Amino acid sequence: MCQARPVAYKGRWTERGRGLVRFTGVGMRYGGPRGRAAWGLLGVSFELAPASFNWLLGPSGAGKSSLLRLMHLSLRATEGRVEVLGEDVARLSRWALTGLRRRIGVVFQDDRLLPHLSAYENVALPLRIQGVTEMRLTADVGEMLRWVGLEHRAEEPPEILSGGERQRLAIARAIVARPSLLVADEPTANLDEAQARRVIALLRELHRMGTTVVVATHSETLPVEYPAPALRLEEGRLVSHG
Amino acid sequence: MARGALRGLRGRDPLGLRRAFADRLLPALVAAMALLAALALAGAHGAGQLAQRWQAGAAGPALVTLPAGADLAAASAALSPHAEVAPVPEARMRELLAPWVGEVPGLPLPRILEVTPTDRAGLEAAVSALPGARLEGRGESVAQAVTLAAGLRALSLLLLLVIAAVAAALVAVATRAGIAARRETIVILHELGARDSDIAGRFATRLAVLCLGGAAAGTAAAALALWFLAGAAVPVALSRPAAWDDLPWTGLAALPLAAAAIGWLTARLTLRAWLRRLP
Ligand SMILES: Nc1ncnc2c1ncn2[C@@H]1O[C@H](COP(=O)(O)OP(=O)(O)O)[C@@H](O)[C@H]1O
Ligand SMILES: [Mg+2]
């Protein structure tokens, strides 16, 4: 992504020096069977600096996915305050939430590519959703596919790509609209080591270009290889941050 | 965030709805219902025409017969508050009867008044007050026939409403099936920042097109059948040759549009309700 523009941060947080992402006493309670509720997250507070790269660590079931889903607005906190890109999400209208979603990129553990669309159309999707003109779309999608090394597979359906290729395609889709925040939930979990490194390298490059990146992983080796601030969760509680 | 800042979804078919709704069952069912609706429309139209014709007949002149030798002038005076009364002259009566009975100078003939009622109930009362007088008219049976025609018309319109409701239910079921087939896709589009109205709009357009096509085919088939049916039925029922406006062309032309509107609106509402459950 050689010609990528630096992401222009807009919003109140810059003027007021606020964190790009801030959780204050956030709890996530899931309704259990026969009224028995379970806490996925409890009393979680932290702040992420703008344009930072962050690990989100913890064993399976610790609450990493819950936290990331709150961050990319596919879940609403049952307690506490979630601020994303300087906006208190509980106070946003449905319309404003839609606008905010367009500034957040998401990479899921299972790539969640659309099977009825080609690789090219999958990457183009966020731009189509945002009503981008065909000319700009062609340029941006081509550039993204080159960046993740998949320009030669543009017309293939996702199902015939390898796991690593699919995950890179998912990253291309997550960042094609130049989000201010990129959230990745175990993006390397299904990949071999070489592919995992390649994916992490892409995410770090994106961070260097000014995007705030949060990557969840239950791997203990990746954070050692790529040192960065880490949020550590255990049984729904934040046990360390730094 | 300014309202105008969010632009809408582009692209030919990002939701893959062509394939999700490739099934021909919905258009076929809509075609069948359009056919039924066309028949109901033609029924309402035909009943209306019959009622009109019968009503015109009932409003026309009737005859009051009086016994031979009755006082025509007195009878006319008694009936005139309730009707326009015109005595049929005796000479005319003899002339009319001549082909059957010949010239019989002394033959006693009933006296006949031609009456055009202005107040049918009053007229009937006045006639029964005259000794030996009888009102020859189709009044009673025509009134019943007109009521029947009005009832048929109301029934046909009710039938149209039922058909519209069933069509809406059918579209809702088809839309839900489409949502089930594309659930993951819809959720992903939502999470990538697609507007509810864009997603709902894509479904609405697709279903409107399917309903339009199905209803157009069904209506065309019905119109063809009705055209031949009118050719046979109109001469019998209305004693005249069938004419172009014996079929409710405006209504028939509106059927596919109504079907498209039902498809569009139902799909949109179904999607909106479903999307509201997403965060
Ligand atoms: N949709 C859900 N309904 C009920 N419980 C859930 C749901 N999602 C997550 N949980 C529970 O919340 C806890 C945290 O899960 P999760 O956020 O997926 O953790 P992680 O991603 O770290 O594995 C787990 O105990 C899990 O069972
Ligand atoms: Mg998880």
Side-chain angles (χ1 to χ4, degrees):
Chain A
M1 202 163 69
C2 27
Q3 330 143 19
R5 311 143 223 178
V7 178
Y9 291 112
K10 295 190 202 117
R12 282 168 295 163
W13 64 268
T14 34
E15 297 114 54
R16 299 189 198 166
R18 284 210 204 148
L20 185 63
V21 175
R22 182 158 64 181
F23 278 43
T24 315
V26 170
M28 184 66 225
R29 195 174 55 175
Y30 293 106
R34 279 186 234 102
R36 278 179 52 208
W39 289 94
L41 289 173
L42 199 55
V44 173
S45 302
F46 64 88
E47 195 170 322
L48 302 181
S52 56
F53 184 98
N54 307 272
W55 291 110
L56 176 57
L57 308 176
S60 209
K64 303 183 296 297
S65 296
S66 302
L67 192 148
L68 292 186
R69 290 187 67 198
L70 290 172
M71 218 181 268
H72 69 77
L73 317 179
S74 83
L75 205 59
R76 293 266 202 150
T78 50
E79 265 185 34
R81 188 155 73 156
V82 174
E83 287 162 88
V84 177
L85 299 176
E87 305 276 359
D88 180 350
V89 302
R91 291 164 53 168
L92 292 182
S93 67
R94 205 170 166 78
W95 186 269
L97 281 173
T98 298
L100 194 53
R101 281 192 185 97
R102 295 183 178 189
R103 300 168 58 203
I104 304 170
V106 190
V107 180
F108 304 92
Q109 177 176 346
D110 48 336
D111 48 67
R112 294 181 79 190
L113 297 165
L114 299 187
H116 59 276
L117 299 180
S118 65
Y120 180 93
E121 283 301 325
N122 265 286
V123 175
L125 195 59
L127 299 179
R128 296 215 186 281
I129 285 171
Q130 299 187 18
V132 166
T133 58
E134 202 60 35
M135 208 170 76
R136 219 196 96 194
L137 182 141
T138 311
D140 284 5
V141 174
E143 182 191 325
M144 267 323 129
L145 286 172
R146 269 195 302 286
W147 188 61
V148 299
L150 288 173
E151 68 270 39
H152 60 292
R153 316 222 60 174
E155 295 314 316
E156 315 277 12
E159 62 192 343
I160 73 162
L161 303 182
S162 75
E165 287 173 327
R166 291 166 63 100
Q167 204 54 286
R168 270 149 47 208
L169 196 61
I171 291 176
R173 183 180 72 181
I175 64 180
V176 71
R178 327 263 161 162
S180 305
L181 170 66
L182 183 83
V183 167
D185 194 355
E186 313 228 19
T188 60
N190 301 329
L191 304 183
D192 62 40
E193 211 169 305
Q195 289 290 350
R197 275 172 217 278
R198 194 162 175 192
V199 163
I200 296 297
L202 286 175
L203 295 175
R204 292 190 61 93
E205 196 180 329
L206 201 67
H207 149 65
R208 275 193 294 279
M209 293 185 301
T211 308
T212 307
V213 179
V214 186
V215 183
T217 180
H218 63 254
S219 156
E220 292 297 331
T221 54
L222 281 175
V224 176
E225 258 180 81
Y226 302 98
L231 296 158
R232 187 175 292 275
L233 284 173
E234 262 166 41
E235 295 182 354
R237 291 172 188 276
L238 188 63
V239 292
S240 72
H241 182 197
Chain B
M1 214 150 297
R3 242 189 118 77
L6 290 192
R7 274 175 304 179
L9 181 62
R10 289 189 185 214
R12 208 170 40 83
D13 188 15
L15 282 154
L17 295 184
R18 272 168 190 282
R19 236 177 300 168
F21 289 104
D23 190 2
R24 295 289 106 195
L25 184 63
L26 178 70
L29 287 173
V30 171
M33 296 213 296
L35 193 113
L36 291 179
L39 295 183
L41 264 181
H45 188 73
Q49 276 193 329
L50 265 182
Q52 234 170 28
R53 185 183 140 82
W54 285 334
Q55 232 146 12
L63 298 178
V64 174
T65 54
L66 301 163
D71 183 351
L72 263 188
S76 295
L79 299 185
S80 56
H82 314 291
E84 284 168 31
V85 185
V88 181
E90 195 175 332
R92 170 98 180 112
M93 287 288 293
R94 290 196 182 282
E95 205 176 290
L96 283 171
L97 289 174
W100 287 278
V101 296
E103 287 294 333
V104 186
L107 184 71
L109 281 180
R111 294 311 179 74
I112 294 185
L113 296 172
E114 195 180 64
V115 292
T116 307
T118 50
D119 158 24
R120 181 162 278 276
L123 178 68
E124 279 167 14
V127 169
S128 54
L130 292 174
R134 267 181 42 217
L135 181 62
E136 308 281 341
R138 299 151 299 164
E140 191 72 358
S141 56
V142 164
Q144 279 171 356
V146 168
T147 312
L148 179 70
L152 276 176
R153 204 176 142 78
L155 201 66
S156 303
L157 295 177
L158 184 71
L159 195 59
L160 278 179
L161 284 183
V162 171
I163 291 171
V166 173
L170 200 66
V171 172
V173 170
T175 305
R176 292 218 187 94
I179 291 174
R182 287 287 180 263
R183 188 181 192 289
E184 183 72 2
T185 304
I186 297 169
V187 170
I188 289 173
L189 257 76
H190 174 77
E191 291 186 354
L192 291 176
R195 302 181 303 191
D196 290 355
S197 56
D198 285 338
I199 297 173
R202 293 298 175 125
F203 271 86
T205 306
R206 190 76 210 128
L207 281 145
V209 166
L210 290 176
C211 288
L212 183 74
T219 308
L224 201 66
L226 285 169
W227 181 245
F228 286 111
L229 193 67
V234 168
V236 177
L238 301 176
S239 351
R240 60 163 174 77
W244 174 253
D245 59 0
D246 284 329
L247 288 188
W249 293 109
T250 321
L252 289 178
L255 272 185
L257 299 179
I262 289 173
W264 189 86
L265 196 66
T266 309
R268 205 171 172 87
L269 293 177
T270 308
L271 254 291
R272 284 297 192 125
W274 194 85
L275 286 168
R276 260 197 296 277
R277 287 184 281 168
L278 298 179

